[in-house]
């Protein structure tokens, strides 16, 4: 094991004491009282009893991460990965990836072919993790996926989400970027004053059904720390949210899908056949 990575044990959360610890950990991560935890103990019991998957990550005897997944409709080959979180002290230590890979193994053992989840498309590190590190693909963009949220992570923001589908039978890892993505037009980028700048000319061309000159690839830049920006300048954070919503909506309606995030913080979008 890498010396920088903790010695982590991944296992299903089955006992009530561990479920209580998991509920408390999720409440801590999302910044809400334990009574308002995103996944209460009784729901964990129900998920497990119904054939879902509640996994925990421990270092020694301390629970440091949790992920919860459940099956879709009867006969579905998809597991919905509802929530995952790692305590702040172990953020960036690879625990999230270990949990996701363990969830993948569990899903494969239960005859699933896909894991599906959502994430905030403006959180760049999550985009890199989901697309580049795992190899998931974004299949949809849903504005206001959730109703207004009041937890410390999402309060005051619009809960727009990308829907990710991870094909479990494919090798883990990202897909290659299209050839010469550096030459692809940029639809959203910061101005000299760090404001969101939308390329209106290219954006307008996406909605022109008679246009045969749509670029094969397009790029969309997102801030490196939208969470910090929302805290330091909520109005600026909202402008980035609305600009990204406009651009993502137009791209998906025009048949583009994102494949990866480049090293400069751009989503790379290409047309799907």
């Amino acid at each position: 094991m890498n010396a920088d990575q903790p010695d982590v044990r991944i296992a299903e959360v089955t006992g009530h004491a561990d479920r209580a610890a998991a509920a408390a950990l999720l409440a801590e991560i999302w910044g809400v009282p334990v009574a308002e935890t995103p996944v209460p103990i009784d729901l964990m019991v129900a998920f497990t009893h119904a054939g879902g998957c509640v996994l925990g990550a421990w270092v020694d005897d301390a629970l440091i991460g949790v992920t919860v997944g459940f099956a879709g409709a009867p006969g579905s080959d998809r597991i919905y990965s509802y929530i995952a979180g790692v305590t702040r002290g172990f953020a960036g230590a690879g625990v999230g990836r270990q949990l996701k890979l363990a969830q993948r193994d569990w899903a494969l053992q239960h005859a699933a072919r896909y894991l599906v989840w959502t994430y905030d498309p403006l959180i760049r590190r999550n985009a890199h993790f989901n697309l580049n590190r795992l190899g998931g693909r974004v299949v949809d963009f849903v504005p206001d996926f959730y109703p207004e949220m009041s937890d410390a992570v999402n309060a005051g923001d619009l809960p727009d989400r990308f829907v990710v589908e991870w094909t479990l039978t494919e090798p883990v890892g990202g897909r290659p970027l299209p050839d010469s993505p550096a030459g692809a037009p940029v639809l959203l980028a910061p101005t000299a004053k760090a404001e969101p700048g939308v390329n209106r000319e290219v954006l307008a061309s996406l909605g022109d059904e008679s246009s045969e000159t749509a670029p094969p690839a397009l790029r969309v830049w997102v801030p490196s720390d939208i969470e910090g920006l929302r805290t330091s300048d909520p109005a600026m954070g909202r402008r980035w949210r609305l600009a990204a919503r406009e651009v993502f909506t137009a791209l998906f309606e025009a048949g583009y899908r994102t494949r990866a995030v480049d090293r400069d913080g751009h989503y790379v979008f290409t047309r799907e056949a």
Side-chain angles (χ1 to χ4, degrees), residues 25-33 36-38 83-88 118-123 125-126 146-161 225-232 234 237-238 241:
L25 178 62
L26 291 173
E28 175 189 326
I29 293 169
W30 266 262
V32 296
E36 299 174 17
T37 181
I83 198 168
V86 176
T87 189
R88 182 169 303 192
T118 68
Y119 78 96
D120 180 347
L122 288 188
I123 300 181
R125 69 176 186 280
N126 287 354
Y146 294 108
E148 184 177 350
M149 304 174 78
S150 59
D151 61 87
V153 175
N154 298 289
D157 198 9
L158 299 174
D160 297 350
R161 294 294 184 267
D225 183 13
I226 189 64
E227 296 156 303
L229 180 60
R230 288 200 312 246
T231 300
S232 63
R238 176 58 64 95
R241 174 69 66 191

Side-chain angles (χ1 to χ4, degrees), residues 105-118:
D105 290 342
W106 184 94
L108 284 169
Q109 290 166 12
H110 289 77
R113 295 183 59 199
Y114 306 95
L115 270 175
V116 179
W117 66 93
T118 68

